[in-house]
Amino acid sequence: MSYPRLENWLAEHAFGLYLSQLEQQFIRHQLSVLRFGTIMQCGLPRWQFQNVFAAESQYIVQSEQADANVAIVADSTALPWVQPCMDTIIWPHGLDMISSHDAAIAEIARVLVPGGHVILTGLNVQGYWRLFYKRCIHSRPALNLLSASAVVSRMQQYGLYLEEGKFMGYGVPGCFGKNHQAIEYMGNRWWPHLAAVYGLVLVKRTVPLTLTPQNAANLGLNSVTNMALKGMGCN
């Protein structure tokens, strides 16, 4: 589902540009250690990160709307891959711009390989920004925003677990721009939950290998191996 008003606000409004810069810095920093493999960006094709990745990596941009920067036109709840194949998924404001949160998260988790990462950013529903800018991005259909903690909780239901998180965007009207470091530092220290946006890094965990007692007994393993299996939860 398209939310052009939010996308345009992030690209054109002074405060939206301020947040976009902070979010892209966060994403680039996280990608600096995840620069190999197959990387897919879901949405916001104006944000481009191809210069971050190693030459042998594959960078794909997916969106619901055709664009010169878009390689795959598809709904985020019906991605065109049969099996897990993505090492890293970049999802800027993905949950902000969709009504079916669980369907989208399930699809993201499905195409992500075990041990793969999701880098996600979004508007903080508890942030002070709503007092000044909510009308700027009011749209139809209405945005269905979640708190960072709610996102983490939902992600866990699909095997995606938090590795790192950050709140960003504490500037108030007339107090952001090039010299925003001081207000960002104070916000992180004193009132983190009032930030305008959050950034999360999540990893897909797989179910650990556990043999049933019957199968373990029939393997004929030596005593050393049996001790190792006991440490993994086997009898």
Side-chain angles (χ1 to χ4, degrees):
M1 193 172 292
S2 177
Y3 289 84
R5 193 158 185 173
L6 174 58
E7 294 186 45
N8 292 336
W9 184 76
L10 290 167
E12 299 169 3
H13 190 277
F15 191 73
L17 285 168
Y18 163 65
L19 298 182
S20 296
Q21 181 184 22
L22 294 175
E23 292 178 71
Q24 290 181 68
Q25 288 175 352
F26 171 80
I27 293 172
R28 287 181 181 277
H29 175 71
Q30 301 302 327
L31 290 175
S32 65
V33 294
L34 301 171
R35 56 192 297 268
F36 295 93
T38 302
I39 300 98
M40 178 175 67
Q41 177 178 328
C42 296
L44 285 186
R46 299 182 191 183
W47 295 10
Q48 288 285 304
F49 303 99
Q50 66 266 26
N51 61 338
V52 177
F53 307 112
E56 61 269 29
S57 295
Q58 184 178 20
Y59 174 52
I60 302 168
V61 178
Q62 171 269 332
S63 179
E64 296 179 7
Q65 304 295 324
D67 184 274
N69 296 317
V70 174
I72 302 294
V73 179
D75 192 291
S76 55
T77 61
L79 298 173
W81 288 280
V82 176
Q83 58 189 12
C85 54
M86 299 299 165
D87 297 289
T88 301
I89 294 177
I90 309 165
W91 206 10
H93 292 278
L95 292 174
D96 294 346
M97 296 188 285
I98 195 165
S99 57
S100 303
H101 291 151
D102 289 302
I105 296 171
E107 193 68 351
I108 290 291
R110 182 185 68 81
V111 301
L112 191 67
V113 302
H117 289 80
V118 177
I119 304 173
L120 170 74
T121 65
L123 286 169
N124 179 23
V125 69
Q126 300 172 340
Y128 74 92
W129 65 273
R130 297 169 299 152
L131 303 176
F132 306 104
Y133 304 110
K134 190 173 183 178
R135 290 185 178 182
C136 297
I137 58 174
H138 182 70
S139 62
R140 289 286 184 271
L143 296 174
N144 189 12
L145 304 180
L146 299 172
S147 66
S149 60
V151 172
V152 171
S153 178
R154 289 205 182 191
M155 290 285 191
Q156 287 183 358
Q157 298 176 29
Y158 298 91
L160 301 171
Y161 292 86
L162 180 67
E163 275 198 345
E164 185 175 343
K166 182 178 182 180
F167 285 107
M168 301 167 283
Y170 300 94
V172 295
C175 185
F176 61 85
K178 293 182 179 179
N179 299 317
H180 63 269
Q181 291 86 353
I183 191 70
E184 290 297 318
Y185 175 79
M186 290 188 292
N188 273 287
R189 183 174 179 84
W190 300 111
W191 54 86
H193 297 295
L194 295 180
V197 292
Y198 59 83
L200 304 173
V201 181
L202 304 109
V203 62
K204 181 177 179 180
R205 293 183 185 168
T206 56
V207 178
L209 174 65
T210 303
L211 299 177
T212 64
Q214 294 86 351
N215 289 339
N218 294 332
L219 287 176
L221 301 173
N222 62 38
S223 57
V224 175
T225 306
N226 275 322
M227 290 178 65
L229 285 174
K230 287 180 179 179
M232 295 171 60
C234 296
N235 297 320

